[in-house]
């Protein structure tokens, strides 16, 4: 079953849960992914690294200390070694014995449940082999229409697209280049991921005119304060109202945050349906 990331002109904004419902569940785990869908969303951002035995696993950090009860580096460990550790216990005792997920099981789950996955490629080296393994897994799970491959490293994700041209790319922009749209289109993007600090309304208008899907990523809460309020304090003006206006005008197709309830509030304030 395919997933449609292109929701323009449908009055819908995709509420994209960052690493699953990571505000309440252990990030990048099946409990977080299942909870995101149960909360009424259908789009999830995940992170992927490759183990030393060339298995793809869903995890953000290169090391496992922050999110598990183990130590070590993903790329220096086998899947069997990683499976010894608990990737839920640090979020709460109720999540004890949560394993690190293999990408394959998440892709199969997404296809079965009509979920869209924004899959961020994380490795810093061994790019060609990572690309080969990832392309093979996407083919084996028949999940190409359920994913957008995300990367800060546009060269890396284009290695995958060279091997599997049907893969949609989502590129991250953490700067405003002099020829911003050219840089994005030159990376073969179907979608562009922006942060508020590095995007303007002019950029968003240009992206939409070029037919690109747009995603706005909002950082996690700081001191339990709503993210857009934190941004407003930084700049001294009402950022929330500005972002809601972008949503209302259809300049944002996908909105990302750790807290799904917060996403729903912002999308509803803009008069749009939560997708």
């Amino acid at each position: 079953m395919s997933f449609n990331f292109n929701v323009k002109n449908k009055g819908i904004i995709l509420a994209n849960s960052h690493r699953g419902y990571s505000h309440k569940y252990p990030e990048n785990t099946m409990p977080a992914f299942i909870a995101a869908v149960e909360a009424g969303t259908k789009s999830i951002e995940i992170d992927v690294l490759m183990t030393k035995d060339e298995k793809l696993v869903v995890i953000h950090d290169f090391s496992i200390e922050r999110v598990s009860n183990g130590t070590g580096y993903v790329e220096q460990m086998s899947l069997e070694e990683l499976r010894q550790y608990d990737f839920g216990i640090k979020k709460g005792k109720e999540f004890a014995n949560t394993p690190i997920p293999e990408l394959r099981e998440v892709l199969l789950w997404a296809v079965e449940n009509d979920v869209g996955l924004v899959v961020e490629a994380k490795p810093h080296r061994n790019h060609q082999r990572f690309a080969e393994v990832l392309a093979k897994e996407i083919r084996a799970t028949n999940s190409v229409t359920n994913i957008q491959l995300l990367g800060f490293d546009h060269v890396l994700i284009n290695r995958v697209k060279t091997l599997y041209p049907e893969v949609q790319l989502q590129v991250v922009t953490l700067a405003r280049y002099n020829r911003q749209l050219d840089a994005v289109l030159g990376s073969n993007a179907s979608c562009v991921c922006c942060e508020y600090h590095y995007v303007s309304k002019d950029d968003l208008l240009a992206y939409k005119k070029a037919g690109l899907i747009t995603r706005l990523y909002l950082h996690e809460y700081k001191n339990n304060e709503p993210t857009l309020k934190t941004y407003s304090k930084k700049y001294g003006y009402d950022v929330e109202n500005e972002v809601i206006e972008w949503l209302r005008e259809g300049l944002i197709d996908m909105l990302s945050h750790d807290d799904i309830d917060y996403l729903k509030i912002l999308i509803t304030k803009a008069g749009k349906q939560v997708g």
Side-chain angles (χ1 to χ4, degrees):
M1 186 180 297
S2 62
F3 181 86
N4 187 11
F5 287 94
N6 193 346
V7 295
K8 67 178 182 179
N9 302 323
K10 295 184 179 180
I12 294 172
I13 294 170
L14 294 176
N16 179 258
S17 57
H18 186 236
R19 305 177 197 169
Y21 202 162
S22 56
H23 182 61
K24 294 184 177 180
Y25 296 81
E27 68 176 59
N28 276 323
T29 64
M30 287 308 305
F33 304 151
I34 293 168
V37 172
E38 290 177 345
T41 66
K42 299 290 281 185
S43 171
I44 301 170
E45 187 268 355
I46 68 175
D47 306 281
V48 177
L49 282 167
M50 187 167 69
T51 67
K52 73 176 183 181
D53 54 345
E54 297 188 343
K55 302 296 184 183
L56 298 180
V57 291
V58 182
I59 186 171
H60 178 272
D61 298 358
F62 293 97
S63 62
I64 67 173
E65 284 87 347
R66 182 178 63 85
V67 293
S68 81
N69 61 350
T71 60
Y73 291 87
V74 175
E75 293 178 341
Q76 299 171 18
M77 304 171 75
S78 67
L79 177 61
E80 183 179 359
E81 289 171 320
L82 288 167
R83 290 290 198 186
Q84 298 177 50
Y85 300 113
D86 189 333
F87 285 78
I89 190 66
K90 284 196 171 180
K91 192 69 174 181
K93 293 181 179 179
E94 64 272 31
F95 303 117
N97 301 314
T98 299
I100 190 171
E102 275 194 83
L103 177 62
R104 174 178 286 244
E105 67 177 301
V106 180
L107 293 177
L108 289 170
W109 171 82
V111 171
E112 182 179 352
N113 292 279
D114 191 26
V115 174
L117 296 177
V118 177
V119 180
E120 183 176 341
K122 301 295 293 186
H124 191 63
R125 61 180 186 174
N126 297 329
H127 284 181
Q128 184 59 32
R129 187 57 186 150
F130 173 86
E132 291 167 355
V133 174
L134 178 54
K136 182 179 179 181
E137 288 291 85
I138 296 170
R139 288 186 188 278
T141 54
N142 196 29
S143 58
V144 68
T145 56
N146 286 79
I147 73 167
Q148 288 190 345
L149 184 60
L150 172 69
F152 288 82
D153 188 333
H154 301 184
V155 178
L156 167 58
I157 59 177
N158 269 280
R159 286 179 182 263
V160 182
K161 190 169 182 65
T162 297
L163 295 167
Y164 198 167
E166 292 82 3
V167 172
Q168 296 182 59
L169 301 186
Q170 183 179 136
V171 297
V172 180
T173 60
L174 287 181
R176 290 194 71 204
Y177 305 107
N178 188 45
R179 297 171 66 96
Q180 183 81 358
L181 181 60
D182 289 347
V184 171
L185 294 177
S187 292
N188 298 309
S190 299
C191 179
V192 56
C193 176
C194 317
E195 293 186 8
Y196 177 81
H197 311 296
Y198 307 102
V199 72
S200 73
K201 184 174 181 179
D202 287 343
D203 298 326
L204 296 172
L205 286 166
Y207 295 150
K208 299 310 297 179
K209 186 176 181 180
L212 292 165
I213 299 168
T214 53
R215 172 178 167 229
L216 183 66
Y217 166 70
L218 304 179
H219 294 86
E220 63 186 16
Y221 297 138
K222 187 175 182 179
N223 300 321
N224 293 317
E225 181 177 65
T227 302
L228 294 181
K229 186 174 182 180
T230 301
Y231 293 176
S232 296
K233 286 183 177 180
K234 177 176 181 175
Y235 294 108
Y237 56 81
D238 188 353
V239 172
E240 179 176 312
N241 186 63
E242 182 179 24
V243 169
I244 288 174
E245 189 61 29
W246 291 352
L247 297 171
R248 186 176 292 123
E249 292 179 16
L251 298 180
I252 304 294
D253 301 299
M254 193 182 311
L255 190 65
S256 294
H257 194 268
D258 298 352
D259 186 356
I260 291 174
D261 288 340
Y262 187 50
L263 291 174
K264 288 181 174 179
I265 289 169
L266 295 174
I267 292 169
T268 301
K269 281 185 176 181
K272 301 290 185 176
Q273 297 179 42
V274 177

